[in-house]
Coordinates of all heavy atoms in Angstrom, one line a residue:
D153 N -30.8 9.5 26.0 CA -31.3 8.4 26.8 C -30.2 7.3 26.9 O -30.0 6.7 28.0 CB -32.5 7.8 26.2 CG -33.7 8.8 26.2 OD1 -33.7 9.6 27.2 OD2 -34.6 8.7 25.4
S154 N -29.5 7.0 25.8 CA -28.5 6.0 25.9 C -27.3 6.4 26.8 O -26.7 5.6 27.5 CB -28.0 5.6 24.5 OG -27.4 6.6 23.9
A155 N -27.0 7.7 26.8 CA -26.0 8.3 27.6 C -26.4 8.1 29.1 O -25.6 7.8 30.0 CB -25.7 9.7 27.3
A156 N -27.6 8.4 29.4 CA -28.1 8.3 30.8 C -28.1 6.9 31.3 O -27.7 6.6 32.4 CB -29.5 8.9 30.9
R157 N -28.4 5.9 30.4 CA -28.3 4.5 30.7 C -26.9 4.1 31.0 O -26.6 3.3 31.9 CB -28.9 3.7 29.6 CG -29.0 2.2 29.9 CD -29.7 1.4 28.9 NE -28.9 1.3 27.6 CZ -29.3 0.7 26.5 NH1 -30.5 0.2 26.5 NH2 -28.6 0.7 25.5
L158 N -25.9 4.7 30.2 CA -24.5 4.4 30.4 C -24.1 4.9 31.8 O -23.3 4.2 32.5 CB -23.7 5.0 29.3 CG -22.2 4.5 29.1 CD1 -22.2 3.1 28.6 CD2 -21.4 5.4 28.2
A159 N -24.6 6.1 32.1 CA -24.2 6.6 33.5 C -24.7 5.7 34.6 O -24.0 5.5 35.6 CB -24.9 8.0 33.6
H160 N -25.9 5.1 34.4 CA -26.4 4.2 35.4 C -25.6 2.9 35.4 O -25.2 2.4 36.5 CB -27.9 3.8 35.0 CG -28.5 2.8 36.0 ND1 -28.9 3.2 37.3 CD2 -28.7 1.5 35.8 CE1 -29.4 2.1 37.8 NE2 -29.3 1.1 37.0
E161 N -25.2 2.4 34.3 CA -24.5 1.1 34.2 C -23.1 1.2 34.9 O -22.6 0.3 35.5 CB -24.3 0.7 32.8 CG -25.7 0.2 32.1 CD -25.5 -0.1 30.7 OE1 -24.4 0.2 30.1 OE2 -26.5 -0.6 30.1
F162 N -22.5 2.4 34.7 CA -21.1 2.6 35.3 C -21.1 3.4 36.5 O -20.0 3.8 37.0 CB -20.2 3.1 34.2 CG -19.9 2.1 33.1 CD1 -20.7 1.9 32.0 CD2 -18.7 1.3 33.3 CE1 -20.3 0.9 31.1 CE2 -18.4 0.4 32.3 CZ -19.2 0.2 31.2
G163 N -22.2 3.8 37.0 CA -22.2 4.6 38.3 C -21.6 5.9 38.1 O -20.9 6.4 39.1
I164 N -21.8 6.6 37.0 CA -21.2 7.9 36.8 C -22.2 9.0 37.2 O -23.3 9.2 36.7 CB -20.8 8.2 35.3 CG1 -19.9 7.0 34.8 CG2 -20.2 9.5 35.1 CD1 -18.6 6.9 35.4
W220 N -32.2 7.9 33.5 CA -32.3 6.4 33.5 C -32.3 5.9 34.9 O -31.2 6.0 35.5 CB -31.3 5.8 32.6 CG -31.5 4.3 32.4 CD1 -31.1 3.3 33.3 CD2 -32.2 3.7 31.4 NE1 -31.5 2.1 32.8 CE2 -32.1 2.3 31.6 CE3 -32.8 4.1 30.2 CZ2 -32.7 1.3 30.7 CZ3 -33.4 3.2 29.4 CH2 -33.3 1.8 29.6
Q221 N -33.4 5.6 35.4 CA -33.5 5.2 36.8 C -33.0 6.3 37.7 O -33.5 7.4 37.7 CB -32.9 3.8 37.1 CG -33.5 2.7 36.3 CD -33.0 1.3 36.6 OE1 -32.5 1.1 37.7 NE2 -33.1 0.4 35.7
T222 N -31.9 6.0 38.5 CA -31.4 7.1 39.4 C -30.3 7.9 38.7 O -29.8 8.9 39.4 CB -30.8 6.4 40.6 OG1 -29.8 5.5 40.3 CG2 -31.9 5.7 41.4
S223 N -29.9 7.7 37.5 CA -28.8 8.4 36.8 C -29.4 9.4 35.8 O -30.5 9.2 35.2 CB -27.9 7.4 36.2 OG -27.3 6.6 37.1
P269 N -22.8 -2.5 20.5 CA -24.2 -2.7 20.6 C -25.0 -1.5 20.0 O -24.7 -0.3 20.2 CB -24.4 -2.6 22.1 CG -23.0 -3.1 22.7 CD -22.0 -2.5 21.7
D271 N -27.8 -0.3 20.4 CA -28.6 0.6 21.2 C -27.7 1.3 22.3 O -28.3 1.9 23.3 CB -29.7 -0.1 21.9 CG -29.3 -1.4 22.7 OD1 -28.1 -1.7 22.6 OD2 -30.1 -2.0 23.3
S272 N -26.4 1.3 22.2 CA -25.5 1.9 23.1 C -24.4 2.6 22.4 O -23.2 2.3 22.5 CB -24.9 1.0 24.1 OG -24.2 1.7 25.1
W275 N -21.0 3.7 24.0 CA -20.0 2.6 24.3 C -19.2 2.1 23.2 O -18.1 1.6 23.4 CB -20.8 1.4 24.9 CG -20.0 0.2 25.1 CD1 -20.0 -1.0 24.4 CD2 -19.1 0.0 26.2 NE1 -19.1 -1.9 24.9 CE2 -18.5 -1.3 26.0 CE3 -18.6 0.8 27.2 CZ2 -17.6 -1.9 26.9 CZ3 -17.7 0.2 28.1 CH2 -17.2 -1.0 27.9
V306 N -20.5 11.8 30.1 CA -20.4 10.4 30.6 C -19.8 9.5 29.6 O -19.1 8.5 29.9 CB -21.9 9.9 31.0 CG1 -22.8 9.9 29.8 CG2 -21.8 8.5 31.6
V310 N -16.5 7.2 30.5 CA -16.5 5.8 30.4 C -15.5 5.3 29.3 O -14.7 4.4 29.6 CB -17.9 5.3 30.0 CG1 -17.8 3.8 29.7 CG2 -18.9 5.5 31.2
Q314 N -12.3 3.0 30.4 CA -12.3 1.6 30.0 C -11.1 1.4 29.1 O -10.5 0.3 29.0 CB -13.5 1.3 29.2 CG -14.8 1.3 30.1 CD -14.7 0.1 31.1 OE1 -14.5 -1.0 30.8 NE2 -14.9 0.5 32.4

Side-chain angles (χ1 to χ4, degrees):
D153 292 333
S154 63
R157 186 174 68 183
L158 196 70
H160 177 75
E161 290 173 354
F162 285 88
I164 305 296
W220 185 274
Q221 297 186 25
T222 59
S223 298
D271 54 355
S272 185
W275 172 254
V306 63
V310 171
Q314 293 296 308

